[in-house]
Amino acid sequence: MFKNYFKIAWRNLLKNKTTSFINIGGLSVGLAVAIIIMLWVTDEYSTDKFHKQLPYIYSVMQNEKQEGEIATFQSQPGPLAAALRTAIPEIKYASRVSYPSEQLIKSGEKSLYETGIYAEPEYFNIMSFPALEGNAVTALQDPGSVVITETTAKKIFGNEDAMGKLITHNNIHNLKVGAVLKDIPVNSNLKFDMVLPFSIYEKENSDWINRWDNNSILTWVELNTTANAAAVNKKMTALFRNKSGSTTGEIFAYPLSELAMHGKFKNGKPDGGRIEMLTMLGVLGTFVLLIACINFMNLSTARSERRAREVGVRKSLGASKKNLVFQFLSEAFLMTLFALAAGIILAKILLPGFNNWTGKNVSFNMLNPGTWLLLGIIGFITGLLSGSYPAFFLSRFQPVKVLKGSIAVGRGSSLFRKGLVTFQFVISIFLIIVTIVVSRQVRYAEQRPIGYEQHNLIEIPARGDMIDKFDLVKTGLLQLPGVQSVSAGSDDLISFNGSTNGIEWPGKLKDQDFPIAVTRVQYEWTKTTGLKILQGRDFSPEYGSDTLSCLINEAAVKKMGLKEPVVGTMLDKNKIIGVLADFMYNDPYTAARPLLAFLDKKNTSHFFVRLQDGEKWQNKMGEIEAVVKRSNPNYPFEFHLTEEAYDRKFIGLRSGAEFSSVVGILAIIISCLGLFALSAFVAERRTKEIGIRKVLGASAKSIWVSLSKDFLKPVVLAFILASPLAAFAMQKMLLVMEYHIQLSWWMFAIAGLAAVIIAIITVSFQGVKAAIANPVKSLRTE
């Protein structure tokens, strides 16, 4: 029986090539989008799932009240891990870990920068990063050992066995390779190329590492299988408050299994994260696939006139409604099968470009049974969804009526089909509006006044003892033609990571405490970077020692409520000597944040070189490299263009805008296929009416206008419905950003106009075809 169903379905598919092509084409595009999004979502959900003890692994986090709200962060005090091991028996393992940073390693003539972390031995008892050779726990117990990944071992030692070999770390430490790890899985949220003993980090940062009031490192714990996380949290908070003296700080264990998807916090509680993006992607994929399914329904019902007599004959010969439903569902599943195959091929073709576009590394593993199971589920749901309505619609025809040529489709069916097309265009217009708004927001932020001159500004990371030779390097660089000024700072102008609170100033209120970004700079910092001083002066050797002076930005002045004159005001023991104009750093979508700058000739790690306007930086880099290498020969030369580094901040939202625009274009194309289906259906139903009108003298133009007007009603209705929905969604999105555009009527007008123009082009094909048809052919049976 099923063989006959599919045999007949195959014949109908070949008999109606155009309709079949449109159906399969629309479904394949929808399925390709759904497959890519499915692969992306499953890849994200697989993050960190490879850890054997995942249910018991936690990141220790901290809640701290700031300005009436609760701020949540991962950074913890250095002594916390040891105290947890001793005081809380439910904690099986605890480990301190540094944030990832670039580390220079050398062996013989080879040298390279790799991403490294410093960790205590128990880190590898907690995390499942298996070793190919050696024992990572034992290796980190030895301050003279290092753990590297397989790829790093091949980079530095080639095909030689790395175990036991020496590498030079940062031109200071000679370390022995104590273990070689398998490469870190691509679906790991924790990434590194090498792990160094935490004892080295502890020795290099002895001035703050044992202080309870400095939150600068990560702490990971593994709880016993019987431990109660809530009870552990209470014990950790009590311990922290007792040791640190804090009265508001709360320490809690947050599951690693939740960190990737729900790692965003608001007022001390989880408030989204990557799950928001994945939900949006899932909705987009579902909508695009749903639009394609609606096309199938409309095209199938549009051919009802041709299939009606077939149904009548089959029922007259004894076929039941159930048999006919299965027959039409077989056609839907056959087309879905072809569309799924085409969608898989299309997805595989588009996936490399998608990965390059989004920075992801999503793969299509054809050998993974889970992938095929998901594909089968998607295919089955698609076939059932797209084929159900046409199957029940066509199988209900009564043989007596259809064999007489009388088919009563009913007003309800017509409204349902128009409703489906309206729904398609609601989604399409919504996505067009989203694309316009997001694109405008990205452009608005990109064109935002930055507050300093990025053009012709070069940043050079200060490696090794390069900062100790700052004056020597600066003198050499200033001798180069085209180099205007040179300075240095602890931050690269794009991101400022250090902050402090508890600073005192005149008129400070009891509850007026907030984090203030802190940076340390050399002389001529403002001149080199192009920052503007609104009041006072910059640090200068002409005024003697400025070590007890500071610069403050406008945002800090306003937040503190400082009264004029600001210059001369004391912040703790530091005197304000200048007020900086606000400039953009960290998040380009927020207002300027309070900032303090202190003069410091030792703790700066970024050189800044300002070239004269008109100088081509490409022609200068060879000369600049030669000067730097003379003073720092043991480190590879590297530099960054501040302008390019700043531009990378917009990659995320820009990619989102581009992705939504592509999905929007696909949605509108597939929706137009649906409109084409509706126009074909209406034209088929009104063939005799059009013939009579032409015989009575109606012009082709008036007939086209009459048909097109009906076709455009769903589009206009869709615009009316989509506009408030898009306005609500976009307003919520924009309010998350402090620096954002305002919604304007023209954004919605462009979306509506684009949809109408595309719809007119689409329906004109059927409208013109019906208008110029020979009325004799449609009326000869009357």
Side-chain angles (χ1 to χ4, degrees):
M1 183 181 292
F2 288 105
K3 181 180 179 181
N4 288 331
Y5 286 152
F6 280 100
K7 185 183 291 184
I8 296 169
W10 174 250
R11 289 172 180 170
N12 275 306
L13 188 148
L14 293 178
K15 183 180 178 182
N16 303 282
K17 294 183 178 63
T18 302
T19 304
S20 299
F21 176 78
I22 293 174
N23 271 332
I24 293 173
L27 281 175
S28 63
V29 172
L31 284 166
V33 173
I35 289 168
I36 289 175
I37 291 176
M38 177 202 76
L39 293 173
W40 190 350
V41 172
T42 53
D43 178 75
E44 289 287 345
Y45 267 104
S46 70
T47 301
D48 294 328
K49 294 297 188 291
F50 58 87
H51 293 290
K52 294 178 181 178
Q53 301 300 317
L54 183 63
Y56 313 108
I57 300 175
Y58 293 82
S59 170
V60 179
M61 304 189 75
Q62 186 176 158
N63 282 336
E64 184 68 47
K65 286 186 179 178
Q66 294 178 353
E67 297 183 273
E69 292 190 353
I70 299 175
T72 303
F73 45 88
Q74 273 188 286
S75 299
Q76 301 302 327
L80 179 64
L84 294 177
R85 288 192 208 104
T86 305
I88 303 178
E90 292 93 336
I91 293 178
K92 186 177 181 180
Y93 299 115
S95 174
R96 294 181 291 179
V97 182
S98 72
Y99 283 94
S101 59
E102 284 190 337
Q103 307 291 330
L104 176 67
I105 58 174
K106 288 184 178 182
S107 178
E109 297 298 320
K110 290 185 180 178
S111 63
L112 62 149
Y113 286 108
E114 293 285 74
T115 300
I117 61 172
Y118 297 84
E120 292 183 306
E122 289 188 350
Y123 183 69
F124 286 105
N125 286 327
I126 299 170
M127 306 295 179
S128 300
F129 295 118
L132 293 173
E133 295 182 274
N135 185 303
V137 175
T138 305
L140 291 185
Q141 290 171 348
D142 179 1
S145 291
V146 64
V147 178
I148 61 177
T149 61
E150 183 181 8
T151 296
T152 300
K154 288 180 179 177
K155 285 181 183 178
I156 200 78
F157 299 114
N159 294 323
E160 297 179 17
D161 185 7
M163 282 297 294
K165 285 190 167 56
L166 291 177
I167 64 171
T168 303
H169 168 238
N170 284 345
N171 288 323
I172 301 172
H173 312 104
N174 290 317
L175 303 176
K176 176 181 65 178
V177 177
V180 178
L181 303 177
K182 286 184 179 179
D183 285 336
I184 307 304
V186 293
N187 60 342
S188 175
N189 203 36
L190 312 169
K191 297 186 183 296
F192 52 83
D193 302 306
M194 59 189 298
V195 185
L196 300 140
F198 197 83
S199 55
I200 297 176
Y201 188 80
E202 193 171 21
K203 188 179 295 184
E204 292 178 347
N205 297 281
S206 58
D207 56 332
W208 60 262
I209 195 68
N210 293 313
R211 291 174 53 177
W212 281 92
D213 62 347
N214 188 299
N215 301 306
S216 299
I217 60 171
L218 302 171
T219 300
W220 294 96
V221 297
E222 180 184 330
L223 301 186
N224 291 321
T225 56
T226 57
N228 180 286
V232 171
N233 289 343
K234 289 181 180 179
K235 291 183 179 181
M236 289 197 299
T237 296
L239 172 68
F240 173 74
R241 290 185 177 181
N242 180 51
K243 296 287 187 180
S244 66
S246 172
T247 58
T248 59
E250 293 182 354
I251 299 292
F252 65 98
Y254 194 67
L256 174 60
S257 58
E258 296 291 318
L259 195 58
M261 291 295 104
H262 302 88
K264 181 180 170 186
F265 286 76
K266 183 177 182 180
N267 212 21
K269 302 293 182 183
D271 186 48
R274 289 193 209 173
I275 189 67
E276 296 171 334
M277 177 190 67
L278 296 185
T279 301
M280 183 193 73
L281 287 173
V283 170
L284 286 177
T286 301
F287 278 162
V288 172
L289 191 55
L290 192 57
I291 288 172
C293 292
I294 290 171
N295 282 350
F296 187 98
M297 298 179 194
N298 279 331
L299 279 169
S300 297
T301 52
R303 295 172 55 242
S304 60
E305 181 84 24
R306 300 176 185 176
R307 301 299 298 272
R309 287 182 175 81
E310 175 191 339
V311 172
V313 171
R314 286 178 180 274
K315 282 193 172 183
S316 299
L317 295 176
S320 65
K321 183 177 180 180
K322 179 181 177 181
N323 295 137
L324 291 169
V325 168
F326 276 115
Q327 173 60 56
F328 292 124
L329 280 176
S330 298
E331 293 183 19
F333 278 112
L334 184 62
M335 286 196 182
T336 302
L337 184 63
F338 284 116
L340 183 60
I344 291 172
I345 294 170
L346 187 59
K348 283 186 70 68
I349 292 171
L350 297 176
L351 200 55
F354 174 82
N355 282 332
N356 184 58
W357 183 23
T358 60
K360 294 287 295 178
N361 191 27
V362 178
S363 61
F364 199 145
N365 187 357
M366 304 293 287
L367 301 178
N368 186 352
T371 300
W372 286 107
L373 177 63
L374 288 173
L375 289 174
I377 292 172
I378 290 174
F380 178 78
I381 293 174
T382 302
L384 190 64
L385 186 63
S386 59
S388 294
Y389 176 72
F392 286 101
F393 174 79
L394 294 171
S395 63
R396 76 181 183 182
F397 290 149
Q398 297 177 15
V400 175
K401 292 183 177 181
V402 296
L403 292 176
K404 285 183 176 181
S406 174
I407 304 175
V409 176
R411 179 174 175 80
S413 298
S414 175
L415 289 175
F416 180 70
R417 282 187 296 275
K418 288 182 179 179
L420 291 177
V421 174
T422 301
F423 177 71
Q424 287 180 309
F425 273 90
V426 166
I427 298 171
S428 300
I429 293 171
F430 180 91
L431 290 174
I432 293 173
I433 294 171
V434 169
T435 300
I436 293 171
V437 173
V438 175
S439 298
R440 288 291 301 175
Q441 173 62 24
V442 173
R443 188 175 303 172
Y444 182 69
E446 286 177 331
Q447 295 174 349
R448 174 184 186 176
I450 302 167
Y452 62 96
E453 182 53 56
Q454 292 182 336
H455 191 58
N456 288 331
L457 181 61
I458 298 167
E459 179 261 323
I460 302 172
R463 305 292 185 185
D465 60 351
M466 184 174 167
I467 200 64
D468 296 329
K469 302 173 182 177
F470 171 75
D471 292 333
L472 180 64
V473 175
K474 179 178 179 179
T475 301
L477 290 174
L478 289 175
Q479 291 175 352
L480 299 177
V483 174
Q484 196 171 38
S485 62
V486 178
S487 187
S490 59
D491 301 277
D492 62 0
L493 294 181
I494 306 301
S495 299
F496 287 74
N497 298 314
S499 65
T500 188
N501 56 7
I503 293 177
E504 297 297 326
W505 61 85
K508 180 181 179 180
L509 304 176
K510 287 184 178 181
D511 60 346
Q512 194 180 12
D513 198 15
F514 51 87
I516 303 174
V518 174
T519 190
R520 303 183 183 281
V521 302
Q522 295 267 17
Y523 292 124
E524 297 189 326
W525 179 62
T526 59
K527 175 185 176 182
T528 304
T529 58
L531 289 163
K532 296 178 182 177
I533 294 183
L534 301 179
Q535 298 180 34
R537 63 175 178 84
D538 193 0
F539 299 115
S540 172
E542 297 177 8
Y543 293 87
S545 176
D546 271 336
T547 54
L548 292 177
S549 301
C550 66
L551 301 176
I552 187 172
N553 70 343
E554 291 177 275
V557 171
K558 293 174 184 175
K559 194 95 172 178
M560 292 176 178
L562 299 180
K563 297 179 180 179
E564 296 291 345
V566 175
V567 174
T569 303
M570 298 299 294
L571 302 183
D572 287 338
K573 296 180 181 180
N574 300 284
K575 183 173 70 174
I576 299 175
I577 62 170
V579 177
L580 294 169
D582 285 339
F583 65 98
M584 206 296 298
Y585 64 89
N586 290 354
D587 188 348
Y589 304 104
T590 62
R593 294 289 188 254
L595 174 78
L596 287 177
F598 296 96
L599 181 67
D600 191 329
K601 297 183 179 180
K602 294 294 182 183
N603 296 308
T604 51
S605 53
H606 302 272
F607 279 31
F608 300 107
V609 180
R610 166 69 61 189
L611 299 180
Q612 291 178 1
D613 195 29
E615 291 288 340
K616 294 185 177 180
W617 63 266
Q618 297 96 330
N619 300 334
K620 292 293 176 186
M621 291 319 301
E623 298 176 11
I624 292 173
E625 178 180 359
V627 171
V628 173
K629 290 287 283 184
R630 279 201 302 269
S631 300
N632 205 41
N634 295 323
Y635 287 83
F637 176 74
E638 55 182 324
F639 71 95
H640 306 105
L641 301 177
T642 302
E643 201 166 15
E644 290 184 359
Y646 176 79
D647 187 63
R648 284 194 289 271
K649 282 190 169 288
F650 300 93
I651 289 176
L653 195 58
R654 192 185 293 131
S655 296
E658 292 171 354
F659 183 77
S660 64
S661 66
V662 170
V663 173
I665 290 170
L666 290 175
I668 199 84
I669 290 173
I670 299 173
S671 296
C672 285
L673 290 175
L675 194 62
F676 180 86
L678 182 64
S679 64
F681 176 80
V682 173
E684 185 175 21
R685 295 296 304 150
R686 297 175 64 180
T687 301
K688 291 182 173 60
E689 174 197 336
I690 293 170
I692 293 171
R693 286 191 176 194
K694 292 197 72 172
V695 169
L696 294 176
S699 65
K701 179 182 177 181
S702 65
I703 293 172
W704 174 80
V705 170
S706 175
L707 288 172
S708 299
K709 184 173 63 176
D710 289 340
F711 297 154
L712 292 177
K713 286 179 182 178
V715 181
V716 175
L717 179 59
F719 173 71
I720 295 172
L721 295 174
S723 294
L725 290 174
F728 175 76
M730 291 299 94
Q731 190 64 31
K732 286 198 71 174
M733 182 200 78
L734 291 173
L735 287 177
V736 174
M737 309 175 191
E738 296 178 18
Y739 191 82
H740 60 78
I741 62 171
Q742 297 296 322
L743 294 178
S744 179
W745 65 269
W746 65 264
M747 300 175 184
F748 301 88
I750 287 177
L753 186 62
V756 168
I757 291 173
I758 294 170
I760 289 175
I761 295 171
T762 302
V763 302
S764 290
F765 176 80
Q766 290 294 341
V768 172
K769 181 180 177 181
I772 64 175
N774 188 347
V776 175
K777 291 183 179 180
S778 60
L779 298 176
R780 62 186 175 185
T781 57
E782 297 298 319

